[in-house]
Amino acid sequence: MRPKILCISFSDIKADARVLRQLDVLAEYGDVTTLGYGEKPDAAAEHLRLDAALPSLPQTVAGVALLAVRFYKRLELAAPAVRAAADLAAGRTFDLVVANEARALPLAHHLAAGAPVWGDMHEWAPEERVHVLSWRLLIKPFMTYVCAKYLPRTQAVTVVNDSIAHLYAQEFGCDTATVRNSRAFEDLHPSPLSEETIRLVHSGAAVPGRNLEGMIHAVNMLGPGYSLDFYLVPARDGGKYLRFLESLASGPNKVTFHPPVSPADLPRVLNAYDVGIFSLPPQTRNHALMLPNKFFDFVQARLAIVFSPSPETSRLIERFDLGAVTEDFSPESLAEALRRLDRPQIAASKANAHGAAMELSSKVDEDTEREILRRLLPQN
């Protein structure tokens, strides 16, 4: 009989590239029940769907009051989505529970009932949104409490890169394994450059704080011969931020907004472009230490890459000669980095991405996940 695995993620799992890749590996080892927002992912045998209106943090009046006085033990299962999730999974037993991000750890241990728990922390949990005052004052101490209490009793802990791993070891004394946001190797080749236009592209979420407006300002500073295309997942704000971005896109260069593309199709869509761009001022340590999905999307799409400085992305861009790193986080610096990349350099960077695509694919990371599963699951 195949092991029973519960995978918890307080996200729309079908749009969450990291969790989808995780599910593909989990499904090799057992029958997976997913617990989260949105529709059932393809790799899941069963899906317990949460109402998207339910927040995964204790954002009720009572919850905020308890956060303020730091009654954290009473808050562990108090968030509306967490309570609903506990009810949906009540009475079930699992051989392994996977918690995606720290907010899912208390629920994972509650539902595991002694079975092993794998905590995929993704990034540095205490400072996920520390640039927001309410998070800094109320949620950061709660996330720190959750990590300090539950990580030592979690049988496997994974994070997105070695810099984040160092933070967890330093702060909570826990061993971690690195599972990057890499993706499977795509059998693609670099597209030829257009004679008229250098085609810039960015994919991701239309969320305030991602500095998408800075990328629009940068491309508007460039002379003729550049275009910028966005493939954006709208935020849960009714499209307000996306409309703001569209209002900025009236400069001399063409800026086009496209509907979001499924994670599986993204490299093939991006392959038509030349340079993948991202510039993110480090408002949090997660920003400063970023190694995001989009970096690996751009590599598999065989694009040149221009990113703002970060230890993880800068190291890989320089190691594989994939493009350029900006001097700082300003639109002016992004524009200057793009100006310095001439057509032969862009073509060479695209070719270098092609050469690095296998090494920067998810094979190594999937093998790390398989080793965790072989260790934690009962052996037949």
Side-chain angles (χ1 to χ4, degrees), residues 211 214 279-282 287-288 290 307-310 326-334:
N211 194 37
S279 180
L280 184 66
H287 291 167
M290 66 175 181
F307 268 43
S308 54
S310 168
T326 66
E327 290 293 327
D328 57 43
F329 305 93
S330 66
E332 292 81 3
S333 182
L334 177 57

Side-chain angles (χ1 to χ4, degrees), residues 17-39:
R18 181 177 179 87
V19 180
L20 289 174
R21 290 192 297 270
Q22 181 189 95
L23 286 173
D24 286 339
V25 178
L26 291 176
E28 295 176 14
Y29 288 82
D31 294 329
V32 184
T33 298
T34 47
L35 177 52
Y37 303 118
E39 298 178 358

Side-chain angles (χ1 to χ4, degrees), residues 134-149:
S134 59
W135 180 285
R136 187 162 66 248
L137 296 179
L138 298 175
I139 304 300
K140 179 182 176 180
F142 177 52
M143 288 293 104
T144 302
Y145 160 85
V146 166
C147 289
K149 178 175 179 178

